[in-house]
Amino acid sequence: MVDKMLNGDIGLLLIAVAAVVGIANIILLLFLIKAYWKTYKQVKSGFTIGLLYFSSFLLLQNIVSAIFIAMPLLIPIEVRISEWHGPRLPLFLINMVQLVALSILFKITRE
């Protein structure tokens, strides 16, 4: 029954919300990278360059994740392949946790 719900209207809604959250994560990461780059130009510390590397790799991961999440919305796939339709809920939850964590990091960085 849960599988039917995740493949119907609720599944499409879940994909759409997950895609929006993924885009929000990407935007937050871009702002963080901009802030870290500005700080690095002033301070030139190893910690700041580490934050730049960390944020850059996390940005790459979020871009790839958002593409795969949004793929069923952009390209309707008629064939049910578990790799395309199965991980909706876990990816959604991962993106939600990242959104909270990145929001906290962004708030702390701005202070």
Side-chain angles (χ1 to χ4, degrees), residues 5-84:
M5 284 177 28
L6 292 178
N7 288 326
D9 291 338
I10 294 174
L12 287 175
L13 178 64
L14 189 61
I15 291 173
V17 171
V20 169
V21 170
I23 291 168
N25 286 342
I26 291 168
I27 291 168
L28 279 171
L29 282 164
L30 289 171
F31 280 119
L32 285 170
I33 289 171
K34 180 181 175 186
Y36 295 151
W37 179 252
K38 183 179 175 184
T39 302
Y40 178 72
K41 287 192 318 188
Q42 295 171 352
V43 179
K44 305 270 188 205
S45 75
F47 180 74
T48 308
I49 197 75
L51 288 172
L52 279 167
Y53 285 140
F54 171 78
S55 299
S56 297
F57 280 106
L58 196 55
L59 176 64
L60 177 63
Q61 181 268 329
N62 274 275
I63 290 170
V64 171
S65 178
I67 289 170
F68 278 103
I69 288 172
M71 191 85 64
L73 294 174
L74 302 174
I75 304 169
I77 299 171
E78 295 298 323
V79 179
R80 296 284 180 201
I81 302 171
S82 63
E83 287 79 15
W84 289 101

Side-chain angles (χ1 to χ4, degrees), residues 70-108:
M71 191 85 64
L73 294 174
L74 302 174
I75 304 169
I77 299 171
E78 295 298 323
V79 179
R80 296 284 180 201
I81 302 171
S82 63
E83 287 79 15
W84 289 101
H85 297 285
R88 287 183 190 152
L89 187 59
L91 287 175
F92 171 74
L93 294 174
I94 288 169
N95 273 347
M96 288 304 294
V97 169
Q98 282 185 0
L99 179 65
V100 171
L102 290 171
S103 297
I104 292 167
L105 187 59
F106 181 70
K107 183 177 186 259
I108 292 169

